[in-house]
Amino acid sequence: MIRIALTFGIAGTGVALFHWADLPLPWLLGPIFACLISALLGVRMKSIRLLNEGMRTVLGVAVGATFTPVLLASMLGMWPTLMLIPVMTVVIGLIGVPYFRRLWGFDFATSYYSAMPGGLQDMLVFGEEAGGNPRSLSLIHATRVMVIVVALPFILQGVWDADLSNPPGAPAASLGLDQLALMVAAALIGWRGAKAIGMFGASILGPLIVAAAMALTGLLQHRPPAEAIWAAQFFIGMTVGVKYTGITMAEIRRDLAAGLGFCVILIVLTVIFVEGVYTAGLAPGMETLLAFAPGGQAELTVLALIVGADVAFVIAHHVLRIFVVILGAPLFARLFR
């Protein structure tokens, strides 16, 4: 309990410092940086996994609540860019596996599942089952998510002048109790139901599906309040930072350095694909960047909500990427070995 309380205190301090310095996304980036710096200083931190997972349901409900018949019809026009997601995933694998294996000397399983831009937990499970190093996988994927999530707000501000100070929703006091109750029901029923049938990304996709059904039938008429989305950002940021707890100098020299180098490769590939999509006039630049950036699904959903991007466009591409990686990773691992 002491370690958990300490972790919450560190993350809360990060939020306060980011607010004081007027830095972007204090509820997300503040905990990430505060927990990362503390981990590098040797502080032992711990989070509550069930609570962290539960807070992701807020994002699922937030996305699902935006679904309307008009929005669903518009999604049919996304197929040209959706088709590029598997292509980008294969390119990442073809470059990433040799990078980790030949340049850094990781075994094949660790190299393969480090290169795959899937969910951190999914890649850890697959990689460990295949004989990979779970600690290296954890640090490399945490670094990928951290770098992408930290870099994107500054890119969005610098290129598109995006307003990252926008509240992500209406105040809780302005929403009726019936709407808040429906949101809680969508979150719990969707999460537990999706988990019961083994759906990937259950904590986000389950609530998304239930909330979308409620929104399409007219029952759910609002997104979750700003306070709930800020809380979700806090827990997501803290979870990313805590992944570095117990990191050693040897891991910094190898795993962290390898992860940072791979992030450079990912950023270059993302820029190439985003520029191609934008130049071809297939989608707006900001939405394309958020959709193709190989960061965490939850983190990029938060960014899309805050900057007012087309959330359905962004989430559709990330769901497909995770789907391709989770279904294809074990198969391609056998073929490429």
Side-chain angles (χ1 to χ4, degrees):
M1 286 299 295
I2 295 177
R3 285 173 60 186
I4 292 175
L6 175 64
T7 303
F8 274 75
I10 291 170
T13 301
V15 174
L17 288 174
F18 264 61
H19 270 297
W20 174 76
D22 198 26
L23 293 171
L25 301 180
W27 288 97
L28 179 66
L29 300 185
I32 288 179
F33 275 104
C35 292
L36 171 62
I37 293 170
S38 298
L40 293 175
L41 293 174
V43 178
R44 307 293 295 188
M45 295 175 291
K46 185 178 182 181
S47 58
I48 306 174
R49 182 174 178 178
L50 184 63
L51 184 56
N52 292 341
E53 191 176 358
M55 291 307 298
R56 289 171 176 258
T57 64
V58 174
L59 302 180
V61 174
V63 175
T66 65
F67 275 73
T68 63
V70 174
L71 184 61
L72 283 181
S74 71
M75 291 179 68
L76 296 175
M78 298 179 188
W79 67 266
T81 53
L82 288 172
M83 287 177 62
L84 291 173
I85 292 295
V87 176
M88 183 176 177
T89 303
V90 171
V91 172
I92 288 173
L94 291 175
I95 296 174
V97 174
Y99 165 81
F100 284 112
R101 196 171 189 187
R102 297 175 185 172
L103 187 60
W104 292 97
F106 289 107
D107 59 82
F108 176 81
T110 304
S111 299
Y112 186 84
Y113 286 101
S114 292
M116 287 295 98
L120 189 147
Q121 298 300 327
D122 303 311
M123 294 303 98
L124 284 182
V125 171
F126 286 154
E128 192 169 7
E129 287 181 356
N133 185 327
R135 178 66 177 175
S136 294
L137 287 167
S138 178
L139 290 172
I140 289 168
H141 280 292
T143 301
R144 168 176 63 88
V145 172
M146 182 196 70
V147 170
I148 298 297
V149 171
V150 169
L152 277 179
F154 296 98
I155 295 173
L156 293 171
Q157 277 188 328
V159 177
W160 289 284
D161 197 26
D163 186 358
L164 297 175
S165 63
N166 285 327
S174 67
L175 302 179
L177 290 178
D178 59 330
Q179 287 291 296
L180 294 173
L182 285 173
M183 293 173 194
V184 172
L188 294 178
I189 294 172
W191 177 25
R192 304 316 298 178
K195 198 161 189 176
I197 63 175
M199 179 184 290
F200 67 90
S203 59
I204 292 181
L205 296 184
L208 188 158
I209 292 169
V210 175
M214 289 181 175
L216 288 169
T217 55
L219 290 174
L220 188 59
Q221 299 168 358
H222 297 279
R223 286 201 321 229
E227 295 87 345
I229 297 178
W230 281 327
Q233 292 180 54
F234 177 83
F235 280 93
I236 289 168
M238 184 170 64
T239 301
V240 173
V242 167
K243 293 293 181 185
Y244 293 95
T245 296
I247 191 171
T248 64
M249 284 307 299
E251 289 174 326
I252 290 175
R253 285 193 298 268
R254 189 187 188 197
D255 298 348
L256 189 57
L260 288 172
F262 188 52
C263 285
V264 174
I265 294 173
L266 289 175
I267 290 171
V268 171
L269 289 175
T270 301
V271 169
I272 292 172
F273 274 85
V274 170
E275 185 64 26
V277 170
Y278 180 70
T279 302
L282 298 177
M286 185 166 67
E287 276 79 0
T288 304
L289 177 61
L290 289 169
F292 280 80
Q297 179 186 354
E299 293 81 6
L300 290 169
T301 301
V302 166
L303 287 175
L305 288 169
I306 290 174
V307 300
D310 185 340
V311 180
F313 182 87
V314 174
I315 200 71
H317 288 74
H318 282 286
V319 169
L320 178 59
R321 173 170 60 85
I322 299 299
F323 184 77
V324 168
V325 169
I326 288 178
L327 291 186
L331 174 62
F332 286 113
R334 296 190 189 98
L335 293 176
F336 290 161
R337 183 157 193 140

